[in-house]
Amino acid sequence: MTLSPSEKAGDENRIVAWNRELAAVHQRLRRALRLAREAIDAGDAASAGNDLLLYCHGFCAALSGHHVSEDDALFPELAERHPELRPTIAKLQQDHELIASLLRQFEQALNSGAPPERLSSHLDGLSAIMESHFQYEERQLLGPLAALDLDLAPGTALGPL
């Protein structure tokens, strides 16, 4: 995959440690989830207002963007170079679909003004699935990613975090 000139700007000599990039993205997403939970815990949805919307919608967009980028850019490259990982990648993509469904349900609850307890319950479910997914992904992919040489910008392969 070839980068556009704007994607290459400043990155011509950068070597990407894809295993570290993935782990760092997961840490940022865990932090985004904590911020969303803190916004909910700060009070009811009405009083949390803009902070709640900002943190929760930001978390949803970040997690969704990460998974779409993996599915569209990283996983096809990884599957081509490591065919033995195709079953693992298929399972990770199934997880992405489940997480996307949970994100849609959470956003519906958020947009409908659901009480904090309901929003918190949605985040509990998302958190459990997300953490299980991240741990499995890291166990299965960090080794192959450590040796991966891709001509992609990290944001293209892992999302705009």
Side-chain angles (χ1 to χ4, degrees):
M1 193 173 276
T2 306
L3 298 177
S4 69
S6 63
E7 289 175 308
K8 282 189 174 184
D11 276 345
E12 291 90 2
N13 297 319
R14 182 169 182 227
I15 296 173
V16 176
W18 290 103
N19 58 329
R20 290 185 193 146
E21 290 287 339
L22 180 67
V25 166
H26 287 174
Q27 287 305 319
R28 288 192 295 274
L29 287 165
R30 288 175 177 112
R31 183 172 184 272
L33 176 64
R34 281 193 303 276
L35 290 172
R37 184 173 302 284
E38 288 170 8
I40 290 171
D41 291 345
D44 67 298
S47 69
N50 290 335
D51 284 345
L52 178 66
L53 293 175
L54 173 67
Y55 293 129
C56 292
H57 285 300
F59 164 70
C60 290
L63 184 57
S64 177
H66 168 60
H67 288 160
V68 167
S69 294
E70 283 182 330
D71 290 344
D72 291 349
L74 181 64
F75 288 171
E77 292 284 343
L78 199 54
E80 183 178 318
R81 295 166 194 224
H82 294 277
E84 73 280 5
L85 290 176
R86 288 181 181 154
T88 298
I89 291 168
K91 185 203 178 315
L92 291 169
Q93 289 173 319
Q94 287 177 335
D95 286 357
H96 290 177
E97 292 173 17
L98 172 60
I99 291 169
S101 175
L102 294 173
L103 285 171
R104 283 190 298 275
Q105 292 172 26
F106 175 62
E107 286 192 290
Q108 288 171 349
L110 184 64
N111 292 334
S112 71
E117 302 80 32
R118 186 162 159 231
L119 296 175
S120 186
S121 177
H122 279 284
L123 282 185
D124 288 344
L126 268 166
S127 176
I129 298 297
M130 184 184 90
E131 191 57 39
S132 173
H133 170 78
F134 285 175
Q135 289 178 12
Y136 176 75
E137 187 171 56
E138 290 172 2
R139 276 193 318 271
Q140 298 299 312
L141 300 185
L142 289 184
L145 288 174
L148 192 63
D149 181 21
L150 288 179
D151 190 18
L152 290 175
T156 300
L158 298 172
L161 288 174

